Amino acid sequence: MARIAVIGPGAVGSVFAALVSEQKDHDLVVCARSVPPDKIVVESESGTRVCIPDAILADPAEVGEPVDWVFLAIKAHDTAGAARWLAGLCDERTTVVVLQNGIGHQARVAPHAPTSVVLPAIVWCPSEVVGDGRVSLRGPVRVGVPDSPAGSDLIDLLDPTEARVELVADFTTHAWRKICANVVAGLMVLTERRAEVFSLAGMRALAHQLACESASVGKAEGARLDVRAVADAIIAELVSMPSDMGTSMLFDRLAGRPTEWREIHGVVQELGKSHGISTPALDVIVPLLQATSGRQEQG
Ligand SMILES: NC(=O)c1ccc[n+]([C@@H]2O[C@H](COP(=O)([O-])OP(=O)(O)OC[C@H]3O[C@@H](n4cnc5c(N)ncnc54)[C@H](OP(=O)(O)O)[C@@H]3O)[C@@H](O)[C@H]2O)c1
C-alpha cells in the first residue's frame, strides 16, 4: 500500500489519479487549486474510468501526513504556486514525480521539496479536460524517467496499470526529443488550430524549421540528436495524428490561460543564444507566444 498525492487534477493529473486508484490498496489524495470535482472521470478507447479519491483537497492547510509519492501534474509556470502543497506532502520518504514538459524539472521543484527525491518525467499522455472532472485520453500513457532507484520504484508502482514506464539512460536526449515536438506545437497555439493545421505545406515547412532549430540547441546542450532525422520524425508524427488532436498548450490558449511558452520556447531560444546558435523561426514565434499567452505579459 502506498500513500499517493496528485497535485493538479487537470488532464494529466486526472489520468494518473484514475490509473493509480484502480489499485484499491493505495491511499489517494488529490490536491486542486480550483473548486475540485468530487470524482474524476477519464474516458478512453479502453473504457471509462471513474476515480473517487480517498480525499480531494483544495487547501494545503488540510494536508495531514507526508505521502510516499507525489505526482506533480501542474503547468511548469504554476510550480511555485504549489509550494504549500509540496511542503505538507513531502519529507525524506517522498518521491515527487514531475510530470511536466520541458527541462529543468529538478531545479524547479527541488527547492520546494528539499528532503525528497525529485524524479523528472517526460510524459506522453494525450489528454484533454472536456468537462468538470471529465478528461478524454486519446492514446497510450508512457513515461520516461532517468534510470535510477526511484525510476525502478515507479515501474513497480505503475506496473499493474496501463501506463508504461521506461528507464532512460540518457535523459537529456530523451527530454530534448520531446521539447522539439513541444516547440513545434507552438504553431497550433498561434493558429488556434489542431493537428489538421499541418496539412498545409507551409506549416509543415515552418514546423520542420522549428524542430531543426530546437534539435540543434539540444545537441549543443549534450543531447544526442540527429537534427534532420528528429525534424523529419516530428513532421511524420504530426501528419499521422488525428486531425482534431490538440496539445496542452493549445487548450490553455483556447481557454485564455497562460501557456508554457517561457518554459519551452523561451528556454530553447535563450539556450540557443548562449551557444551562438541562430534560431530565426523561434525568434519570430517567441514574442508572438508571449503576446498571446493568457496572462498580461510584461517586459
Ligand atoms: N495534456 C496533455 O496532453 C499533456 C501531455 C504530455 C505532457 N503534458 C504536460 O503535463 C503538464 C500538465 O499539463 P495538463 O495538460 O495536465 O495541464 P492542465 O490540464 O491545465 O492541468 C493542470 C492542473 O493543475 C492545476 N493547478 C495549477 N496550479 C495548482 C496548484 N497550485 N495547486 C493545485 N492544482 C493546481 C490546475 O488547476 P486550475 O483548474 O485551477 O487551472 C489544473 O487542474 C504540463 O507540463 C504539460 O505540458 C500534457
Side-chain angles (χ1 to χ4, degrees):
M1 195 277 249
R3 287 166 307 147
I4 301 170
V6 173
I7 304 177
V12 170
S14 295
V15 169
F16 278 80
L19 289 173
V20 297
S21 75
E22 284 178 346
Q23 300 157 268
K24 299 286 177 229
D25 50 344
H26 294 326
D27 190 25
L28 174 67
V29 53
V30 168
C31 306
R33 174 169 65 177
S34 319
V35 178
D38 54 7
K39 67 180 178 195
I40 288 168
V41 178
V42 177
E43 292 154 1
S44 71
E45 261 190 7
S46 62
T48 298
R49 292 181 175 85
V50 179
C51 162
I52 302 181
D54 298 283
I56 304 185
L57 310 178
D59 182 351
E62 297 171 57
V63 170
E65 298 280 296
V67 297
D68 303 308
W69 291 91
V70 171
F71 287 92
L72 184 65
I74 61 179
K75 295 281 160 49
H77 52 253
D78 283 328
T79 304
R84 287 182 61 221
W85 287 118
L86 291 166
L89 292 164
C90 296
D91 69 7
E92 63 285 349
R93 292 159 296 178
T94 311
T95 299
V96 184
V97 186
V98 187
L99 300 165
Q100 289 177 344
N101 280 329
I103 53 174
H105 304 69
Q106 181 83 31
R108 209 162 36 240
V109 176
H112 306 297
T115 61
S116 302
V117 173
V118 174
L119 187 67
I122 298 301
V123 58
W124 284 262
C125 177
S127 50
E128 180 178 0
V129 176
V130 290
D132 194 23
R134 279 182 49 240
V135 168
S136 163
L137 173 64
R138 300 188 59 186
V141 180
R142 292 191 291 126
V143 187
V145 292
D147 190 351
S148 60
S152 301
D153 291 344
L154 185 67
I155 290 189
D156 292 343
L157 182 75
L158 294 182
D159 196 45
T161 75
E162 263 182 48
R164 292 283 62 91
V165 181
E166 181 190 354
L167 292 182
V168 181
D170 180 356
F171 191 74
T172 300
T173 299
H174 193 71
W176 272 97
R177 174 62 180 76
K178 180 84 190 286
I179 292 169
C180 293
N182 296 143
V183 166
V184 168
L187 295 176
M188 293 196 217
V189 178
L190 291 174
T191 58
E192 298 187 12
R193 287 173 64 169
R194 294 184 180 236
E196 49 75 29
V197 77
F198 297 107
S199 63
L200 299 170
M203 292 303 289
R204 287 198 301 279
L206 185 50
H208 198 273
Q209 166 76 20
L210 282 166
C212 285
E213 290 178 12
S214 307
S216 300
V217 176
K219 240 180 118 168
E221 282 288 298
R224 288 184 297 163
L225 297 173
D226 175 331
V227 169
R228 210 176 167 83
V230 166
D232 289 350
I234 287 172
I235 302 307
E237 285 160 21
L238 288 172
V239 297
S240 69
M241 273 183 189
S243 59
D244 63 343
M245 189 74 98
T247 71
S248 167
M249 219 186 268
L250 171 65
F251 307 143
D252 282 335
R253 170 73 190 126
L254 295 176
R257 293 187 296 254
T259 65
E260 284 179 314
W261 72 270
R262 196 184 293 276
E263 293 76 13
I264 304 290
H265 304 78
V267 164
V268 177
Q269 185 194 38
E270 279 305 311
L271 289 171
K273 268 192 202 143
S274 72
H275 290 290
I277 294 171
S278 155
T279 56
L282 256 174
D283 294 346
V284 171
I285 72 162
V286 164
L288 294 172
L289 288 165
Q290 179 180 23
T292 53
S293 180
R295 72 191 138 196
Q296 289 300 308
E297 298 282 353
Q298 304 292 332

